[in-house]
Amino acid sequence: MSVHVPSAGLAEREFELREYLPSEASDDFKQLLLKELPRFYDEVDESFPDSILSNAGSGRDPFGYFTTGKQIFASYIDGQCAGFTVVTMKRGGSAKIGPTAVFPEFRRRGVATRLRDAVEAKLFQEYGVRKIYMTVSTLNGPALMFNLKRGFQTEGVLREQYREGGDEIVLGALNPRHTARSRYAADALTPSFTAGGSDQAALWHDPSLDELEAFLAPRMEPYFDGIERGFYESIIAACQESRQRYDQKGKRLVVSRADGELTAAAVYVPKRGGSVKLSPCIADSEAAARTLIDTCVSLARSEGRRKIYVHLPDAMLEFASLLGSMGFAVEAQMREAYKPGMNMLVLGQVLA
Ligand SMILES: CC(C)(COP(=O)(O)OP(=O)(O)OC[C@H]1O[C@@H](n2cnc3c(N)ncnc32)[C@H](O)[C@@H]1OP(=O)(O)O)[C@@H](O)C(=O)NCCC(=O)NCCS
């Protein structure tokens, strides 16, 4: 598929946006990413561009849970490929954009600007996404300057996210056609912990789809859009032993129980570069939350993970405050990440 975009800053040269298919120029794409990204990120090997290419080729991400699909867009100048951007579609109406990369001989000539103008317009106007966001290394001056100039706003700084000593800035832009809801829309939904006490947490080795969905669905529904049975199926599938690799997006389930009943659950996701993400992370009581988090932190330490971080609706004030008392700090507030009006906190702890 290709879309012609009228030329502006590139003067009389012909600019063309193509939805990039894996069979074309995939070696160029791989080489560019493998040259640029390891400057800022650890554990980026061939499996990283390979999995983007195969997901973009199939139109869906077979290993994603919040991710529903990936696309690659390329800019061609007078028929020559000049750069790429990856787009990752998320449940709840957001899209993650990046990496965006331009071949060195084409830089500072407006190529990335033209590419992202066209792709962002497509996402906002044609696909109707509510929000575009990304993370950029604080060490990557050109990418930061480029995206700030485009009007993206800083939503936080993720400490040592993908590498020891390397922080990531979260940048976001809401669709100008959508009216942002007041963040106080969350007020009516602010849940309080119930009483609890006898909770015990452990890895859930043989998770039941029905039990997981029955616990998480009503508790996620106020804060996340677009979550249906396929979301829970993808979590259970990712817990298989054979999936415990980055390119297969392996995950684990850690749960708390009291008298046999689920009282808390976290999806534990190892990330390239040594962090672990907990998302979703839901608990009914302080006791259930505390034992859940303690168990996840112990697991992360036993696996030699450098950092653990949690995605938590900012309406969950008691849970956020508990995490604060357990050594986590707020690193970002992602505006309206998974549902209009619902912001998501990122709380992180760098493990010694
Ligand atoms: C970031 C990148 C995509 C920019 O591509 P580009 O085609 O050179 O960008 P443009 O020419 O459209 O630049 C637009 C504006 O961004 C800013 N910018 C771009 N490169 C910059 C740099 N090296 N230093 C400072 N500002 C820069 C400038 O404001 C520029 O406008 P100007 O040239 O009128 O001053 C490119 O540098 C690149 O491919 N970097 C390596 C890959 C990478 O790290 N990607 C991000 C990974 S998350």
Side-chain angles (χ1 to χ4, degrees):
M1 185 181 93
S2 75
V3 180
H4 275 279
V5 177
S7 179
L10 291 162
E12 67 283 356
R13 303 185 72 186
E14 188 191 7
F15 174 86
E16 191 187 1
L17 175 72
R18 291 189 196 166
E19 188 174 341
Y20 176 73
L21 299 174
S23 52
E24 308 170 43
S26 59
D27 281 349
D28 293 346
F29 174 82
K30 280 201 231 181
Q31 277 167 23
L32 186 55
L33 291 192
L34 290 175
K35 175 166 167 277
E36 299 294 347
L37 297 187
R39 291 164 49 211
F40 308 109
Y41 304 113
D42 287 341
E43 299 189 280
V44 172
D45 55 22
E46 286 206 12
S47 68
F48 179 74
D50 281 346
S51 71
I52 297 174
L53 284 162
S54 83
N55 294 341
S58 71
R60 55 178 285 275
D61 183 346
F63 302 129
Y65 71 140
F66 284 110
T67 293
T68 54
K70 278 189 198 289
Q71 282 175 283
I72 303 169
F73 293 93
S75 62
Y76 283 72
I77 308 294
D78 288 345
Q80 194 181 347
C81 184
F84 310 86
T85 195
V86 178
V87 170
T88 304
M89 302 301 292
K90 300 284 183 178
R91 290 181 194 270
S94 296
K96 187 171 184 181
I97 196 156
T100 300
V102 167
F103 290 101
E105 59 275 27
F106 284 100
R107 287 186 194 157
R108 290 312 282 271
R109 290 159 63 186
V111 170
T113 301
R114 295 290 304 278
L115 171 64
R116 289 278 298 274
D117 281 353
V119 173
E120 289 167 22
K122 189 187 249 307
L123 292 175
F124 279 149
Q125 291 160 25
E126 207 179 299
Y127 295 2
V129 307
R130 288 188 305 101
K131 179 181 181 181
I132 301 175
Y133 74 98
M134 76 196 83
T135 73
V136 178
S137 165
T138 53
L139 305 174
N140 192 347
L144 278 175
M145 293 303 107
F146 170 74
N147 285 297
L148 289 172
K149 190 180 178 189
R150 296 191 63 68
F152 281 80
Q153 290 183 343
T154 301
E155 299 187 349
V157 180
L158 309 177
R159 292 173 303 157
E160 312 215 11
Q161 187 73 353
Y162 297 116
R163 155 174 298 179
E164 199 172 340
D167 296 341
E168 288 284 296
I169 298 199
V170 185
L171 296 173
L174 297 172
N175 189 336
R177 293 178 164 203
H178 293 214
T179 313
R181 294 256 198 93
S182 158
R183 65 174 303 273
Y184 296 105
D187 270 0
L189 298 163
T190 301
S192 293
F193 279 148
T194 57
S198 60
D199 309 71
Q200 293 205 318
L203 271 171
W204 195 3
H205 289 290
D206 54 348
S208 143
L209 178 61
D210 288 340
E211 193 181 3
L212 181 69
E213 183 174 4
F215 180 74
L216 284 181
R219 292 165 176 81
M220 288 182 72
E221 195 273 333
Y223 314 103
F224 297 83
D225 274 347
I227 304 289
E228 30 65 33
R229 196 161 176 87
F231 174 78
Y232 305 102
E233 285 170 350
S234 67
I235 293 171
I236 304 256
C239 289
Q240 292 163 24
E241 234 14 77
S242 60
R243 286 274 304 273
Q244 301 307 314
R245 295 169 24 192
Y246 291 132
D247 61 332
Q248 307 249 324
K249 302 205 181 140
K251 300 175 180 59
R252 295 177 196 279
L253 264 165
V254 181
V255 293
S256 302
R257 289 183 187 277
D259 303 324
E261 295 295 319
L262 285 177
T263 52
V267 179
Y268 176 105
V269 191
K271 307 293 278 185
R272 286 179 203 265
S275 296
V276 165
K277 173 170 86 173
L278 303 183
S279 178
C281 181
I282 303 279
D284 285 346
S285 69
E286 182 177 332
R290 191 179 287 280
T291 179
L292 181 83
I293 297 299
D294 276 341
T295 303
C296 292
V297 169
S298 300
L299 179 60
R301 285 189 196 282
S302 74
E303 292 183 337
R305 296 268 145 201
R306 289 185 304 95
K307 178 183 177 181
I308 185 162
Y309 65 98
V310 184
H311 280 187
L312 195 75
D314 67 357
M316 292 189 178
L317 300 175
E318 288 184 332
F319 202 160
S321 149
L322 174 71
L323 286 167
S325 74
M326 295 177 80
F328 287 76
V330 174
E331 298 182 355
Q333 184 186 35
M334 301 193 299
R335 289 174 302 156
E336 312 206 17
Y338 299 106
K339 185 165 181 160
M342 294 296 151
N343 301 320
M344 213 34 80
L345 292 178
V346 184
L347 295 115
Q349 180 176 164
V350 176
L351 303 171

